[in-house]
Amino acid sequence: MCTLTSTSSPKKKQKIQNDDDGIPVPEITSLDYVNLTTHTDTFGVDPVPISWGHPDPIVRGPVICTVRHNSQRNAIGAHSGSYCIYTGLAVAAGKLNPDYVPNLKLTSPVFKIGPHDSWSNPKKIASIDPFGHMTTDSFSKYLDKGFDIRPTIAVTKAHIDLPECREAITAGRLVPDGKILLPSGQSICSKAAIEPVWYLP
């Protein structure tokens, strides 16, 4: 995804808000097609404000790039980048309901990343959403209200089996520590898949 986040916080207030938490009520757009990309003039007319660089995710606000909330979008682009074509094909083939929203409430990162000081410095964080892997935790109130907010970072742990590591262990060049490198030659690693979220002031 190449998402351009809002260059400034919109001054216009949401017309419908919950008095308790100040989070706007989502306006659902019903479509029988899927936009594969967007242009700069398709920005929402009443976007959810973003205060880029704020350390509190609720104050910072979620990046809303899905077309489900057309009037409240605060970014341009498409989730999943070039892979969004497959969603469009599935809808066109009648295999996927265009109103389908994945249930992310039971998902969470398998390990913790950050927070880091650079996350709250808008001059240093410009190509990723630092809360992109914590959608369910950081924006649970938005999700509970029905907003379609997608993660932009997926984190997981994996075992990587490299023949070179096995050969190096056999040759004595590497010594397994049992924590990162196993005697079998497998390496235990943490990895992240990141969709770019560009902030272009």
Side-chain angles (χ1 to χ4, degrees), residues 91-102:
V91 171
K95 302 297 183 181
L96 179 65
N97 185 334
D99 293 329
Y100 170 76
V101 178

Side-chain angles (χ1 to χ4, degrees), residues 119-132:
W119 289 8
S120 57
N121 186 335
K123 293 183 178 180
K124 290 185 177 181
I125 187 76
S127 61
I128 66 169
D129 176 5
F131 304 110

